[in-house]
């Protein structure tokens, strides 16, 4: 495989998903950090050469750039056990990855970012007005995860897949956004199982 | 393949993506409609038997249920020309599908739903407070699409893929959410190209 460079903001769960996938696969990533709080991914240079969407993560593969964490993880993991070989299970893995980006990340990750990184006192009025809605939606997302995990070891099939990696990234730091995971015991047990897998690395590695 | 049932709300672009994919593949879907405006996907029965997330679309394959339009399209299209065989292009297709669900749909599809289906006068104060932000983010998404299409026929590689289908669904009806597509001429040309493909069906078919 060509040289892999991860354009990232290290505390971002979306960036961690790619590092965690690479760690499970034994792949080495060169890391380039950007301070998103000071707008380092909105510069003309970044927009022109890394990602016109002005966001991290972006996985650079040789001279090609791949934005979106789910796409980057899928690309790294093709042909590995992190993607189920059964067609329905493979699609079901993508279901959880899309669900995470639509129902989980915009609530749980955004509240973490607003509270733990930006600071509640620095939020705009429009952001403050969304806190209650995002809190309720984040709790509903955790309810759904907890129910799904009642009788399952991992999200899809019987083994760790990209679905677990995608959901682990922001769930395991949900407390930083004010979610008390004691309310969701099946989620907590699953977090422990994911963290106990060979090849696991923490978000601050 | 087992019998395919699409649990849907017909005017939803996310549901249309699956119908359009199936049409290109020559697959027949049985359709079951739910009135999302009256809460038909939040009933105890729907949550227990179709989708615990209370949303459509859900693709039913025999006795198994697959939520999330991107996952359903991917499952239907596996092995077809709608998914590029080159690994980078396949991941790049997923990049656009994830991007659509995160940056495009929550703005362009939501404004269409609020304005053309719910009615602006029926929105909550919290929803009304988000209109300007969603308008600006939707315009930025269309700017990005227009720029990408400056020198390209389709989104990935040289042929129609699921990336085009995913992006076509809500872009071609963006005017219903108050976006005047005359501002984005490359997007308009691409919409025409997608609609001219053999196998294409309109959203109200």
């Amino acid at each position: 495989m060509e040289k892999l460079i991860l354009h990232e903001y290290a505390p971002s769960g979306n960036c961690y998903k790619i590092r965690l996938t690479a760690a499970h696969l034994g792949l080495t990533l060169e890391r380039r950090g950007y301070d998103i709080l000071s707008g380092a991914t909105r510069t003309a240079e970044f927009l022109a050469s890394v990602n016109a969407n002005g966001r991290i993560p972006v996985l650079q593969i040789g001279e090609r750039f791949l934005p979106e964490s789910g796409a980057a993880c899928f690309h790294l993991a093709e042909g590995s056990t992190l993607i189920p070989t059964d067609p329905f299970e493979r699609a079901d893995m993508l279901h959880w990855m899309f669900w995470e980006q639509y129902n989980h990340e915009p609530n749980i990750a955004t509240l973490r970012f607003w509270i733990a990184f930006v600071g509640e006192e620095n939020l705009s009025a429009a952001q403050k007005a969304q806190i209650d809605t995002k809190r309720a939606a984040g709790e509903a997302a955790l309810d759904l995860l907890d129910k799904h995990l009642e009788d399952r070891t991992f999200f899809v099939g019987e083994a760790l897949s990209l679905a677990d990696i995608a959901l682990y990234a922001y769930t395991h730091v949900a407390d930083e956004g004010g979610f008390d995971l004691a309310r969701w015991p099946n989620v907590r047990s699953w977090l422990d199982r994911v963290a106990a897998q060979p090849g696991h690395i923490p978000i601050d590695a």
Side-chain angles (χ1 to χ4, degrees), chain A residues 49-135:
Chain A
S49 65
V50 181
N51 185 4
N53 196 37
R55 287 172 180 269
I56 47 82
V58 176
L59 179 64
Q60 183 179 348
I61 305 134
E63 299 301 314
R64 297 185 293 186
F65 294 83
L66 187 58
E68 298 295 326
S69 59
C73 290
F74 192 94
H75 189 54
L76 292 178
E78 281 229 62
S80 81
T81 59
L82 293 177
I83 298 180
T85 52
D86 174 75
F88 181 84
E89 288 186 0
R90 188 161 52 238
D92 203 33
M93 176 196 81
L94 285 171
H95 143 223
W96 285 109
M97 293 168 74
F98 279 109
W99 179 87
E100 190 268 347
Q101 287 286 284
Y102 197 91
N103 288 82
H104 184 294
E105 202 265 13
N107 301 304
I108 294 172
T110 298
L111 284 183
R112 170 180 178 250
F113 186 66
W114 286 356
I115 292 169
F117 293 79
V118 178
E120 210 164 337
E121 66 282 8
N122 299 317
L123 297 179
S124 69
Q127 289 171 325
K128 281 181 186 159
Q130 290 180 65
I131 289 179
D132 289 351
T133 308
K134 287 185 182 292
R135 175 74 56 208

Side-chain angles (χ1 to χ4, degrees), chain A residues 122-184:
Chain A
N122 299 317
L123 297 179
S124 69
Q127 289 171 325
K128 281 181 186 159
Q130 290 180 65
I131 289 179
D132 289 351
T133 308
K134 287 185 182 292
R135 175 74 56 208
E139 289 173 350
L142 291 163
D143 286 345
L144 190 144
L145 295 185
D146 206 67
K147 188 165 169 52
H148 184 74
L149 289 164
E150 264 173 12
D151 54 1
R152 287 179 180 86
T153 309
F154 295 109
F155 269 87
V156 176
E158 300 297 325
L160 186 82
S161 76
L162 294 183
D164 300 286
I165 288 175
L167 288 162
Y168 181 86
Y170 284 111
T171 305
H172 89 293
V173 289
D175 63 304
E176 298 176 17
F179 296 93
D180 179 2
L181 290 176
R183 266 180 67 181
W184 297 282

